[in-house]
Amino acid sequence: MQTMNQNQLLQWINQVSFAITDITLYLDTHTDDKEALEYFDKYNCERQKALEIYNNQYGPLVLDTIKSPNYWCWAKDPWPWEGEC
């Protein structure tokens, strides 16, 4: 992940986010599936790492990665879809 450019990192975040959403829906009805829970844990960790790297290199992508004393100033930065990638 460290060697990815901004577009690649954003794509990876989208992929692991989709995987997490998908497995979460499955786990809603299969709560005892240990393999699915391990899959969730693995990709949730990958997502958190990717979000942290993105935050450090390009600014926050989601609210829970903001590390600013002025919590709302992040919204003044260019958005990823505004061609800054």
Side-chain angles (χ1 to χ4, degrees):
M1 279 185 288
Q2 294 285 358
T3 60
M4 293 180 181
N5 66 35
Q6 188 174 9
N7 280 333
Q8 292 168 325
L9 186 55
L10 193 55
Q11 180 64 27
W12 176 243
I13 291 168
N14 286 335
Q15 290 172 351
V16 294
S17 295
F18 179 85
I20 290 168
T21 300
D22 194 44
I23 198 66
T24 300
L25 294 172
Y26 174 81
L27 284 168
D28 283 345
T29 58
H30 299 81
T31 56
D32 295 333
D33 188 333
K34 291 181 182 181
E35 186 177 336
L37 190 53
E38 289 172 5
Y39 180 93
F40 171 83
D41 289 339
K42 175 184 176 183
Y43 286 100
N44 189 42
C45 183
E46 288 291 317
R47 182 176 184 272
Q48 293 306 317
K49 287 180 198 173
L51 286 171
E52 184 70 24
I53 292 168
Y54 192 96
N55 183 55
N56 292 337
Q57 293 179 1
Y58 308 109
L61 193 58
V62 294
L63 290 174
D64 53 333
T65 61
I66 295 172
K67 296 179 180 176
S68 173
N70 184 357
Y71 190 75
W72 294 106
C73 72
W74 65 274
K76 296 177 184 174
D77 292 336
W79 295 91
W81 55 85
E82 292 181 318
E84 296 294 319
C85 297

